[in-house]
Amino acid sequence: MDRRLLPLLFALALPWGGGARAAEWQGSLRGTGRLLVDSNAPRDFSDGATHGPGTDLALSALGVAEGKGTGERAQVVGRYELGGRKYVDYANEDTLVQAGALEGSFALGTEWGVGAEGHAKDRRGGSRAYSDLGASLFAEYAPDVRLALRMRLGARRFVYRPDHTADFGGPEVGVLGRYRLSPRHSLSVFGEWGSRRYGPFARPFPGVSTSPGRRQDGALVAGAGYTYRGPVKLSLTYAFQEVSSNSFGETALRHRLTGSAGVRLPWRVTLLAQGTLGLARYPDGIFLSPEIVLVEEDEGQNSLSLKLARPVSARVDLELSWGLWSTRLPRNGLSYTRQVFGVGFTWRDQD
């Protein structure tokens, strides 16, 4: 844990601690550096007829600091990430990304708790620079170690710098439930709804002459997941997302299935794998924000990534990685494909 973050977390925990005992702190630091080969550095969509040059070498670095402070009835958890990527030829795609999350909770008896959480992500450089901010209040119900329910009410603000007509903000509500079937098996369900208000007027639908007013979307996400923790770590999550808009060409329905696995191999090698399959439908026949799809879903609808890690010392791992991301806008005739190969090291410091 970055020691400079500890005073901030401790100050936030003081009003909840009651003075009954000193807070217990845990934290960690992790840093990763990689040499990458990126097959689509500019992250361009293609119509399949032309394939311009897009492969480039890049250096990437990522630092992560995590901390947790626990008092008699209160807890504060924080996380901060700072990462950068430098390309050789596509310097306009150089990026600097910061992300942070902070959560404080207070126990009301043995079953109920309340708290507040906030998150922020800021991406600078490249062709898809944005800031994503959110904050919410929540209440939790945990009658025993097997069951936990969380309900939250908050707000989100999204700023897309290349095109400010895509900026939005609005309230959000959500619910998350987890149930542990056994020490190794657990289930989860989640749901979230948000109202997104935009600055510009909505595009009218064909054949409609009256203006629909300013653009406003409703974003619904619902899904369920399963986790297994044993000799092999497995997780499987299904999510449905519906973005309904009063602006023509901005409505989308998406199904996403994500799975991940981690297993120890011979010679102290760990294999980590993750894959996502997506199915999208656009009721208007087109979708006018393909770049926003990549921003909000990180890399597109379908992906597969593999990583091999082997310790070379008590604190340093050697890593080999490969990732494939792709998506297609069927009626636009546009597709997006990207592969990234990487080799690097990860250093960690655990308190």
Side-chain angles (χ1 to χ4, degrees), residues 3-299:
R3 274 67 175 177
R4 291 174 296 178
L5 295 179
L6 290 178
L8 171 61
L9 297 178
F10 182 71
L12 290 170
L14 279 178
W16 301 333
R21 66 176 183 181
E24 299 177 359
W25 295 99
Q26 294 177 323
S28 65
L29 281 173
R30 186 173 77 252
T32 299
R34 290 192 180 98
L35 174 64
L36 305 174
V37 179
D38 192 333
S39 70
N40 187 358
R43 305 191 185 192
D44 288 337
F45 279 82
S46 171
D47 59 6
T50 59
H51 300 278
T55 302
D56 199 3
L57 293 174
L59 290 174
S60 73
L62 174 66
V64 180
E66 297 178 301
K68 180 172 71 172
T70 304
E72 183 178 8
R73 299 177 62 187
Q75 179 174 272
V76 175
V77 179
R79 178 184 177 92
Y80 175 73
E81 300 180 5
L82 176 62
R85 184 169 294 185
K86 174 64 179 177
Y87 284 91
V88 175
D89 294 326
Y90 288 89
N92 59 326
E93 291 298 327
D94 295 348
T95 57
L96 179 67
V97 181
Q98 297 185 75
L102 188 64
E103 175 184 303
S105 58
F106 181 73
L108 302 175
T110 59
E111 297 182 351
W112 285 93
V114 295
E117 59 184 351
H119 68 269
K121 184 175 182 179
D122 183 73
R123 173 181 169 134
R124 299 298 175 108
S127 57
R128 294 167 177 84
Y130 66 93
S131 295
D132 193 357
L133 311 173
S136 61
L137 302 175
F138 64 84
E140 287 186 318
Y141 175 66
D144 53 48
V145 296
R146 297 178 300 169
L147 177 65
L149 297 173
R150 172 178 290 196
M151 296 156 286
R152 70 176 187 90
L153 173 64
R156 181 185 178 190
R157 173 64 172 165
F158 182 84
V159 177
Y160 187 52
R161 295 190 182 87
D163 182 5
H164 284 288
T165 63
D167 298 354
F168 67 81
E172 292 183 336
V173 295
V175 60
L176 171 66
R178 295 188 181 94
Y179 184 74
R180 193 169 71 178
L181 301 171
S182 69
R184 292 188 174 183
H185 304 269
S186 61
L187 300 175
S188 64
V189 294
F190 55 90
E192 181 179 288
W193 181 85
S195 176
R196 301 177 176 181
R197 298 185 179 92
Y198 295 77
F201 286 94
R203 298 181 184 91
F205 284 74
V208 178
S209 58
T210 59
S211 172
R214 294 194 179 276
R215 179 183 169 186
Q216 184 167 341
D217 296 358
L220 171 68
V221 179
Y226 164 78
T227 302
Y228 170 78
R229 296 183 179 274
V232 178
K233 293 184 178 180
L234 300 172
S235 69
L236 187 66
T237 303
Y238 165 78
F240 169 74
Q241 180 186 22
E242 177 181 359
V243 177
S244 57
S245 179
N246 66 342
S247 182
F248 176 71
E250 302 290 355
T251 295
L253 307 175
R254 301 187 184 98
H255 301 269
R256 292 174 63 83
L257 183 64
T258 302
S260 63
V263 60
R264 290 290 182 90
L265 301 177
W267 303 297
R268 298 192 299 162
V269 175
T270 300
L271 170 63
L272 302 174
Q274 180 171 314
T276 299
L277 291 175
L279 175 64
R281 185 169 68 88
Y282 309 108
D284 297 341
I286 61 173
F287 189 63
L288 299 176
S289 302
E291 291 185 349
I292 300 299
V293 173
L294 295 187
V295 167
E296 292 193 303
E297 297 184 356
D298 195 19
E299 293 290 357

